[in-house]
Amino acid sequence: MKIYDSLNIKDAIKKIGLKSGMTISFHHHLREGDEVLLKIMSEIKALGIKDLTLSCTSLMNVHEKIVDYIENGTIKAIHTTGLKGKLAKYVVHKGLKNPVIFRSHGGRARALQEKNINVDVAFISASAVDTFGNATGSIGKNSFGSLGYGIWEAQNADKVIIVTDNIIKNNVLPHISIPQHKVDEVIYVDSIGDISKIKTGSLIPKFSYSNFIIAKKTAEIIIKLAGCLSDKSLQLGSGSISIQVMKFISEHLKRKNEKLKFVLGGISDFILETFEEGLIQTIFDVQSFSPTCSNIIGKNSSYIEIDNSWYANPKTNCLVNYLDFSVLSAIEIDMQWNVNSLISSDYEIIGAIGGHQDVSDGSNITIITAPLVRGRIPIIVDKVKAVTTPGKNIDILVTDFGIAVNPIRKDITNNLSSLDMKIFTIEDLYKKAKELVGIPEKPKLTNKVVGVIENRSGEIVDYIYRKQE
Amino acid sequence: MKIYDSLNIKDAIKKIGLKSGMTISFHHHLREGDEVLLKIMSEIKALGIKDLTLSCTSLMNVHEKIVDYIENGTIKAIHTTGLKGKLAKYVVHKGLKNPVIFRSHGGRARALQEKNINVDVAFISASAVDTFGNATGSIGKNSFGSLGYGIWEAQNADKVIIVTDNIIKNNVLPHISIPQHKVDEVIYVDSIGDISKIKTGSLIPKFSYSNFIIAKKTAEIIIKLAGCLSDKSLQLGSGSISIQVMKFISEHLKRKNEKLKFVLGGISDFILETFEEGLIQTIFDVQSFSPTCSNIIGKNSSYIEIDNSWYANPKTNCLVNYLDFSVLSAIEIDMQWNVNSLISSDYEIIGAIGGHQDVSDGSNITIITAPLVRGRIPIIVDKVKAVTTPGKNIDILVTDFGIAVNPIRKDITNNLSSLDMKIFTIEDLYKKAKELVGIPEKPKLTNKVVGVIENRSGEIVDYIYRKQE
């Protein structure tokens, strides 16, 4: 077998043998700029292929037309780590025949490896492909950075189709993310998407005084607990709190002439900048939150493109297990420290599990940062609407009104005692939030299950129910 | 799971759960310098584990003590691409309970992928490992170069143990061949072997006038058939003929200001030197025939470390399929153009299948180079002692007494007609050899099968029989 030429979408689908009832996969590195999924779905629909399971690393607002493919029978089931917009509303207000299965990035890596998910055909967007069929995401006009999720799809799917708008002739790619022997066909399209839309939604930081306070406290806690930061590792989220945590820690590193051992995760501009200042020894990038990361992938051996198994597969010796600190967000956190990173106060799916389950499980110290109230909504609740991350993996909560430490981590409470920072119980903070905004009315639900939340090992930890209209 | 510390051999074997009856694998990148296989076998024996299948990428003279482990019941079966010395004699003169299964490098890649071979535990020698468990063969005092075969073992074995004499603390490897998430345990040993012994046996060129003649003709044929060499690719063997072919081609490339598109395969010093002269665009290295290759792996993006699936897995879009020319050797070639690269005239196993089956199948033009007679032994025979590569994949035979072209390749005969080079039939050359040295007596065999030769797709193409004493 040899890839002689790229094909158009229709010919590739026919040649690969895609049939009704099969499972297809897509990655979400292009985020809100992705054009590949809908281009492929349109041709699949035209070919009359039905009842597909759409197994994705994540789905975005840009994919709202999936609703039509559910309605017309092209798609019968969905696996994802999160949903947004119109599609999210469709799931909660109506639901598919089968509940949507929500998994973490590490959980997906494990499920693929253990064949809980059998992907018949993976469609993998690449910003460059050479004439051998080698692929990458970090070269070309639409470079989106790490091809992390795609790499693991290519290793596990029965058939692999690379979709690209950039075929490099007469040369081998200078950086290969997916080697040719994992690739069955190459599709050429005019455009895989718009990389300027990668940084939208949750990736656009919203600065506020309360976020500043939270970031300052978080950085102080990390610096105190770390002692020396030089042999320590860190994963941060993407929002304004994380940016400011990184800034405080950078200043400390410079002052002390220290260097973080590694930073892991989704990599935003501000992490890349800190790396380029020489304050981080190694970066492991499973997902670039900025196309700028493309400039360094494959060029600096201390900046390593990793797949989501390497990142977080719970059945392997993965990187999250080596994390000293992680800073994560939450939509809600409850009295048992359980986190909900998926469902809003009014019971809409607005988030994703992402790496939350994996990072909090692997990291030695997991810090949740959140304002005590968002708008008129309290973040601390008696019981989360859905458990996405179990409370036993959450160690510290930092809010603008004070911090709390999970009672199972007495070691942390002791270590923090010398800081000039009062430690509350989570119950104290819950009461404080209640005083401020009261308890919102609980949304009314039916007993129809529209979503299933798995933990990273594949057990069901919670359900999502259809909303009562 | 996290690799906290390296283990000694015994503890690692116990922890990984190796049991009697299982299949274990080793790679042969250290060739005659390997010390890992026997160190591991010694501890396995001491633990009383029996009836193992030893599934190796190849076995060398240095491994002769395997005979004892067969005799005492520790090893019951062997998979390999070749055998040497005392172990080879044991197989042909006595045999194991089960016949030895001989596969090509691509055939092994396929067999692992398709689970024809299920490796329970792969022991993978590495010249450096970091504290995360990432491994490579191209860093450290015992750098042996490409970890090609090991990479594919790590992707397919149930459990993976890295064996190293060099653990890098406080830093991530600057070049990672096998990522940590494929690694279950790390064993530390004093020494993995002696890299000065990589270049022994068939890797030490023997120059002669007849080899010079053969090389000159081969280069002329390639240059004639290629037209321009700049978009052409090549795989060469490791001996003196290949060195001289490369030299003639290099001179031509310099004269014409051309550059080979890629060179693939086992990479010897003389190929590396040609690359460093700027005469080869890309090198794909599945196995370094010189430790010097370590100096460039991971440092030059046009020198690519590949695994044996990427190299030659027949079920994939692998590199051999993109070869324009290959120059291979043979112990015997017969009237049907079948090649034997395994068994000597007196019916001893002295060679290996290696990549021969794969390269000749994938390459557009496959040239066999051999002297018409070796010592008093004719190279051309009526019927090879064992078919290792089918005749349909062989295109040209170049001997010191003349060349022959496989009649199925009329296109080649036509293209060569303008060269001042007489084309013989293979029957002509057979007669010439017979005139020179007569026909040697055929060795006497029993009907006990001691070896099975598979083609790269997994079908049996021939058998090896126990020799009559």
Side-chain angles (χ1 to χ4, degrees):
Chain A
M1 202 188 60
K2 182 168 165 177
I3 295 171
Y4 289 92
D5 267 313
S6 62
L7 300 170
N8 65 36
I9 299 176
K10 194 164 276 179
D11 290 345
I13 290 170
K14 283 186 192 166
K15 193 169 170 202
I16 212 82
L18 182 67
K19 304 224 158 31
S20 294
M22 283 187 167
T23 297
I24 59 175
S25 86
F26 296 89
H27 68 68
H28 71 294
H29 288 294
L30 282 151
R31 300 181 66 86
E32 295 293 2
D34 175 49
E35 291 174 12
V36 167
L37 189 149
L38 292 179
K39 279 179 179 165
I40 301 289
M41 285 312 306
S42 165
E43 295 291 345
I44 287 175
K45 167 75 172 60
L47 287 165
I49 297 168
K50 297 270 185 186
D51 290 327
L52 296 176
T53 296
L54 184 64
S55 194
C56 291
T57 58
S58 202
L59 291 165
M60 302 280 156
N61 285 298
V62 69
H63 301 123
E64 65 171 33
K65 205 176 140 55
I66 287 174
V67 168
D68 297 346
Y69 295 112
I70 297 168
E71 286 280 301
N72 64 36
T74 311
I75 292 169
K76 72 163 181 200
I78 291 177
H79 311 151
T80 185
T81 195
L83 290 174
K84 290 204 163 40
K86 191 177 154 193
L87 176 58
K89 278 203 179 295
Y90 182 89
V91 169
V92 170
H93 292 263
K94 182 162 184 189
L96 283 72
K97 271 185 242 169
N98 306 302
V100 172
I101 302 177
F102 292 87
R103 292 186 182 90
S104 72
H105 294 317
R108 181 174 179 85
R110 176 203 50 73
L112 286 167
Q113 184 180 32
E114 293 182 337
K115 292 283 175 195
N116 297 150
I117 308 172
N118 189 79
V119 174
D120 295 293
V121 184
F123 294 92
I124 300 174
S125 313
S127 62
V129 174
D130 64 29
T131 49
F132 296 88
N134 298 301
T136 190
S138 53
I139 294 164
K141 65 181 188 296
N142 264 326
S143 304
F144 49 81
S146 173
L147 191 43
Y149 303 121
I151 295 170
W152 196 240
E153 295 299 311
Q155 284 199 36
N156 289 281
D158 288 351
K159 297 283 179 185
V160 173
I161 301 182
I162 301 288
V163 188
T164 192
D165 52 12
N166 180 25
I167 295 178
I168 309 275
K169 305 222 162 123
N170 306 320
N171 216 333
V172 181
L173 289 182
H175 172 71
I176 296 172
S177 306
I178 297 175
Q180 63 185 81
H181 66 113
K182 307 283 187 189
V183 177
D184 295 290
E185 299 297 340
V186 173
I187 287 175
Y188 179 80
V189 291
D190 285 343
S191 170
I192 57 169
D194 178 356
I195 54 167
S196 73
K197 292 182 182 160
I198 289 177
K199 283 170 73 175
T200 49
S202 63
L203 297 187
I204 298 191
K206 291 160 201 75
F207 293 96
S208 69
Y209 181 67
S210 69
N211 283 351
F212 174 82
I213 292 295
I214 292 166
K216 191 159 181 294
K217 280 185 198 166
T218 303
E220 278 171 30
I221 289 168
I222 290 172
I223 290 165
K224 168 68 186 164
L225 292 176
C228 175
L229 277 169
S230 273
D231 59 345
K232 297 300 186 299
S233 56
L234 178 65
Q235 173 156 355
L236 293 169
S238 53
S240 69
I241 293 177
S242 291
I243 293 181
Q244 288 172 95
V245 170
M246 188 83 262
K247 193 171 261 179
F248 286 122
I249 287 179
S250 296
E251 282 161 11
H252 179 85
L253 291 167
K254 280 183 217 163
R255 213 161 41 231
K256 295 278 182 177
N257 201 21
E258 292 173 1
K259 197 167 181 171
L260 282 169
K261 185 167 185 184
F262 73 85
V263 172
L264 171 65
I267 303 299
S268 304
D269 281 327
F270 64 91
I271 297 174
L272 184 59
E273 284 157 18
T274 312
F275 175 75
E276 286 174 336
E277 283 186 87
L279 301 172
I280 301 168
Q281 200 173 305
T282 304
I283 285 193
F284 295 102
D285 182 355
V286 67
Q287 179 182 15
S288 306
F289 288 139
S290 163
T292 314
C293 298
S294 297
N295 300 339
I296 195 164
I297 290 172
K299 295 196 189 77
N300 182 327
S301 68
S302 299
Y303 191 105
I304 304 174
E305 180 185 37
I306 59 169
D307 62 42
N308 48 320
S309 176
W310 194 344
Y311 173 45
N313 182 340
K315 288 294 163 79
T316 75
N317 169 42
C318 63
L319 275 164
V320 294
N321 297 350
Y322 293 79
L323 279 170
D324 293 297
F325 297 97
S326 58
V327 179
L328 301 172
S329 61
I331 300 176
E332 293 178 334
I333 181 165
D334 70 17
M335 294 296 99
Q336 287 69 49
W337 290 80
N338 292 318
V339 165
N340 157 25
S341 64
L342 200 56
I343 297 172
S344 69
S345 168
D346 60 341
Y347 214 84
E348 299 292 344
I349 299 171
I350 59 165
I353 298 176
H356 207 295
Q357 287 178 355
D358 308 299
V359 170
S360 60
D361 191 18
S363 177
N364 182 26
I365 295 171
T366 299
I367 304 171
I368 297 290
T369 58
L372 197 66
V373 298
R374 265 195 205 98
R376 295 289 301 162
I377 309 295
I379 295 318
I380 309 177
V381 295
D382 59 341
K383 196 170 177 309
V384 288
K385 281 178 198 63
V387 177
T388 55
T389 296
K392 69 178 166 64
N393 291 333
I394 307 299
D395 303 305
I396 304 174
L397 170 64
V398 179
T399 75
D400 42 353
F401 280 79
I403 71 162
V405 176
N406 192 329
I408 60 174
R409 292 302 296 264
K410 290 215 169 34
D411 58 323
I412 295 177
T413 313
N414 294 339
N415 277 333
L416 288 182
S417 59
S418 67
L419 272 188
D420 182 25
M421 203 182 282
K422 184 168 159 47
I423 300 176
F424 297 87
T425 64
I426 200 161
E427 291 80 9
D428 293 337
L429 295 175
Y430 172 66
K431 277 180 210 148
K432 182 73 194 165
K434 201 161 65 169
E435 281 167 30
L436 289 169
V437 291
I439 297 177
E441 210 179 324
K442 286 212 180 346
K444 291 203 174 61
L445 307 176
T446 71
N447 58 10
K448 184 190 168 178
V449 172
V450 294
V452 167
I453 300 165
E454 286 188 3
N455 67 13
R456 60 194 301 238
S457 309
E459 291 118 28
I460 295 175
V461 285
D462 217 334
Y463 297 94
I464 302 170
Y465 298 92
R466 181 167 163 176
K467 221 167 144 176
Q468 221 173 74
E469 300 300 326
Chain B
M1 204 187 56
K2 182 169 167 177
I3 295 173
Y4 289 90
D5 268 313
S6 61
L7 300 169
N8 66 36
I9 299 175
K10 194 165 277 177
D11 289 345
I13 291 171
K14 283 184 190 167
K15 194 169 169 201
I16 212 83
L18 182 67
K19 301 223 160 29
S20 295
M22 284 187 166
T23 297
I24 59 175
S25 87
F26 296 89
H27 68 69
H28 71 293
H29 288 294
L30 282 151
R31 301 180 67 85
E32 294 293 3
D34 175 47
E35 292 173 12
V36 166
L37 188 149
L38 292 179
K39 279 180 181 167
I40 302 289
M41 285 312 305
S42 165
E43 296 289 346
I44 288 176
K45 166 76 172 58
L47 286 165
I49 297 168
K50 297 269 184 187
D51 290 328
L52 295 177
T53 296
L54 184 65
S55 195
C56 291
T57 58
S58 202
L59 290 165
M60 301 280 154
N61 286 298
V62 70
H63 301 123
E64 65 171 34
K65 206 176 139 53
I66 287 174
V67 169
D68 298 345
Y69 295 112
I70 297 168
E71 287 281 299
N72 65 34
T74 312
I75 293 170
K76 72 163 182 201
I78 291 176
H79 311 151
T80 184
T81 195
L83 289 175
K84 288 205 161 43
K86 193 177 153 191
L87 176 58
K89 279 205 178 293
Y90 183 89
V91 169
V92 170
H93 292 263
K94 183 163 184 188
L96 283 73
K97 271 185 242 169
N98 306 301
V100 172
I101 301 177
F102 292 87
R103 292 186 180 91
S104 71
H105 294 316
R108 178 174 182 84
R110 176 204 49 72
L112 285 168
Q113 185 181 31
E114 293 182 336
K115 293 282 173 195
N116 297 151
I117 308 171
N118 190 80
V119 174
D120 295 293
V121 184
F123 293 92
I124 301 175
S125 314
S127 64
V129 175
D130 63 29
T131 50
F132 296 89
N134 297 301
T136 190
S138 55
I139 294 163
K141 65 180 189 295
N142 265 325
S143 304
F144 49 81
S146 173
L147 191 44
Y149 303 121
I151 295 170
W152 196 241
E153 296 298 313
Q155 283 198 38
N156 289 281
D158 288 350
K159 296 284 177 184
V160 173
I161 300 183
I162 301 288
V163 187
T164 192
D165 52 13
N166 181 24
I167 296 179
I168 309 274
K169 305 224 159 122
N170 306 321
N171 216 332
V172 181
L173 289 181
H175 172 72
I176 296 171
S177 305
I178 298 175
Q180 62 186 84
H181 66 113
K182 307 283 188 189
V183 177
D184 295 290
E185 300 296 340
V186 173
I187 287 174
Y188 178 80
V189 291
D190 285 344
S191 170
I192 58 169
D194 178 357
I195 54 168
S196 74
K197 293 182 182 160
I198 289 176
K199 283 171 71 175
T200 50
S202 63
L203 296 188
I204 298 190
K206 291 161 200 71
F207 293 97
S208 69
Y209 181 68
S210 69
N211 283 351
F212 174 84
I213 293 294
I214 293 167
K216 190 159 182 293
K217 281 185 195 162
T218 303
E220 278 171 31
I221 289 168
I222 290 171
I223 290 163
K224 169 66 187 165
L225 293 176
C228 174
L229 278 170
S230 274
D231 59 345
K232 296 301 187 297
S233 57
L234 179 63
Q235 174 156 351
L236 292 169
S238 52
S240 70
I241 294 176
S242 291
I243 293 180
Q244 288 170 96
V245 170
M246 189 82 264
K247 193 171 263 177
F248 287 123
I249 288 179
S250 296
E251 282 160 12
H252 179 86
L253 292 168
K254 281 183 218 164
R255 213 160 42 234
K256 295 278 183 178
N257 200 20
E258 292 173 0
K259 197 168 180 169
L260 282 169
K261 185 166 185 187
F262 73 86
V263 173
L264 171 64
I267 303 301
S268 304
D269 280 329
F270 65 90
I271 297 173
L272 184 59
E273 283 157 20
T274 313
F275 175 75
E276 285 175 335
E277 282 187 89
L279 301 172
I280 301 168
Q281 200 171 305
T282 304
I283 285 194
F284 295 102
D285 182 356
V286 68
Q287 178 181 17
S288 306
F289 287 141
S290 163
T292 315
C293 298
S294 297
N295 301 339
I296 196 166
I297 291 172
K299 295 195 189 75
N300 182 327
S301 69
S302 300
Y303 191 104
I304 304 174
E305 180 185 37
I306 59 167
D307 63 42
N308 48 321
S309 176
W310 194 344
Y311 173 45
N313 182 341
K315 289 294 165 78
T316 73
N317 169 42
C318 63
L319 276 163
V320 294
N321 297 350
Y322 293 81
L323 279 169
D324 294 297
F325 297 98
S326 58
V327 180
L328 301 172
S329 62
I331 299 176
E332 295 177 334
I333 181 166
D334 71 17
M335 294 296 98
Q336 287 68 50
W337 290 79
N338 292 319
V339 165
N340 157 25
S341 63
L342 200 55
I343 297 172
S344 70
S345 169
D346 60 343
Y347 213 83
E348 300 291 343
I349 299 171
I350 60 165
I353 298 175
H356 207 295
Q357 286 178 356
D358 308 300
V359 170
S360 60
D361 190 20
S363 177
N364 183 24
I365 293 172
T366 299
I367 303 172
I368 297 289
T369 57
L372 197 64
V373 298
R374 269 197 203 97
R376 297 287 302 162
I377 309 297
I379 296 318
I380 309 177
V381 295
D382 59 342
K383 195 169 176 311
V384 288
K385 279 173 201 66
V387 178
T388 54
T389 296
K392 70 179 167 61
N393 291 333
I394 308 298
D395 304 306
I396 304 175
L397 170 65
V398 180
T399 75
D400 41 352
F401 281 80
I403 71 163
V405 177
N406 192 328
I408 60 176
R409 293 298 300 263
K410 290 216 165 38
D411 57 324
I412 295 177
T413 314
N414 295 339
N415 276 333
L416 288 181
S417 59
S418 67
L419 270 188
D420 181 24
M421 204 181 282
K422 182 167 161 52
I423 299 176
F424 296 88
T425 66
I426 198 159
E427 292 79 8
D428 294 336
L429 294 176
Y430 172 66
K431 277 181 210 147
K432 182 74 195 163
K434 201 160 65 169
E435 281 167 31
L436 289 170
V437 292
I439 297 177
E441 208 177 324
K442 283 211 184 343
K444 292 200 173 63
L445 307 176
T446 69
N447 59 9
K448 183 190 167 178
V449 173
V450 293
V452 167
I453 300 165
E454 285 189 2
N455 68 13
R456 61 195 299 240
S457 309
E459 291 119 28
I460 295 174
V461 285
D462 216 335
Y463 297 93
I464 302 171
Y465 297 92
R466 181 169 162 174
K467 221 168 143 175
Q468 222 172 73
E469 301 298 329

